[in-house]
Amino acid sequence: MTTPPQHPGQDPRDPQAGGPPRYVPPAGGDRHGAPQGQYGAPQGQYGPGPHGAQGPAAPPQLKRLLSLTLLSAALYAASSIVSLVASSTMDMTSMAERMGMPADQAQQAEAMAGQSAALSVVSGLVTLAIALGLYALVYVFVRKGRNWARILGVVLASLSALSVLFGFLGYWLYGGWGVVLMAVGVAFVVVNVLWIVTAFRAPLNQWFTRPQHTW
């Protein structure tokens, strides 16, 4: 058998090259000629979502909203604990006298308060636990961009801020503890107002109201 002659420089795609034509894909693309990455999935307006999730990622303002959520929860817990301590250590007789009660009625009020002190502490701790649970619920689902969690947060922030404002009327009865309660209450109201404003400002408002397909 003889070896077929070689022809240097001959194009392998030339059907006259002495063999079947070979396909050479064009540079910079696939075999259909489309540039690589042309059909890649578009990213969100603010970059890729967390953990590679599709859809628009959260705007940077979400971090501030989450920080305000934690700060509001901390101030609420501080106010509740100070209230419990002030109630359990306060001289009820002096408090009743400041309210204008006669001395005998003030002593009766102190006796009744002593009997219900344990119940007040337990109920206060239960209320605090429920409130912190709601804060955790809002934090987790606001972080996921659920609009219902934002609405729940607005309702809780509004009601708690109003309750603190009404509580200012009675803080003077706590003496020195009342000053602490007023300072914490003012900070709590300011943080809650900032939370509501931040939650409804652009671009967070558009991000929360985007079409969603998951709970």
Side-chain angles (χ1 to χ4, degrees):
M1 298 179 64
T2 61
T3 304
Q6 302 293 327
H7 302 282
Q10 193 168 22
D11 190 344
R13 291 173 293 185
D14 189 354
Q16 304 297 328
R22 294 179 297 171
Y23 175 75
V24 178
D30 58 9
R31 65 186 184 88
H32 298 291
Q36 294 180 355
Q38 180 178 355
Y39 301 103
Q43 296 180 350
Q45 179 180 0
Y46 301 99
H51 310 295
Q54 294 182 354
Q61 289 79 1
L62 179 64
K63 184 177 180 181
R64 181 187 182 190
L65 187 65
L66 294 175
S67 299
L68 289 173
T69 305
L70 295 178
L71 183 57
S72 178
L75 290 172
Y76 181 87
S79 178
S80 300
I81 293 173
V82 171
S83 297
L84 291 175
V85 173
S87 299
S88 59
T89 59
M90 185 174 53
D91 185 357
M92 297 301 298
T93 302
S94 300
M95 178 179 177
E97 291 176 351
R98 286 196 294 269
M99 296 175 62
M101 289 185 180
D104 55 343
Q105 294 182 6
Q107 293 177 356
Q108 294 177 1
E110 182 178 10
M112 294 175 60
Q115 295 175 359
S116 61
L119 180 60
S120 299
V121 171
V122 172
S123 61
L125 292 176
V126 170
T127 302
L128 177 59
I130 294 175
L132 293 180
L134 291 175
Y135 269 108
L137 181 68
V138 170
Y139 182 92
V140 170
F141 286 97
V142 161
R143 188 172 183 270
K144 294 181 178 180
R146 303 298 182 260
N147 193 42
W148 64 263
R150 180 180 65 151
I151 301 302
L152 177 60
V154 170
V155 173
L156 294 176
S158 303
L159 293 178
S160 56
L162 288 176
S163 66
V164 169
L165 290 175
F166 283 115
F168 285 164
L169 300 176
Y171 284 161
W172 63 274
L173 297 173
Y174 290 93
W177 286 112
V179 178
V180 179
L181 287 171
M182 290 187 67
V184 176
V186 169
F188 180 74
V189 171
V190 171
V191 168
N192 283 4
V193 171
L194 289 176
W195 196 98
I196 295 173
V197 172
T198 303
F200 281 91
R201 290 186 65 181
L204 269 182
N205 188 49
Q206 288 79 0
W207 184 68
F208 276 112
T209 55
R210 73 197 189 282
Q212 302 181 37
H213 305 286
T214 57
W215 187 78

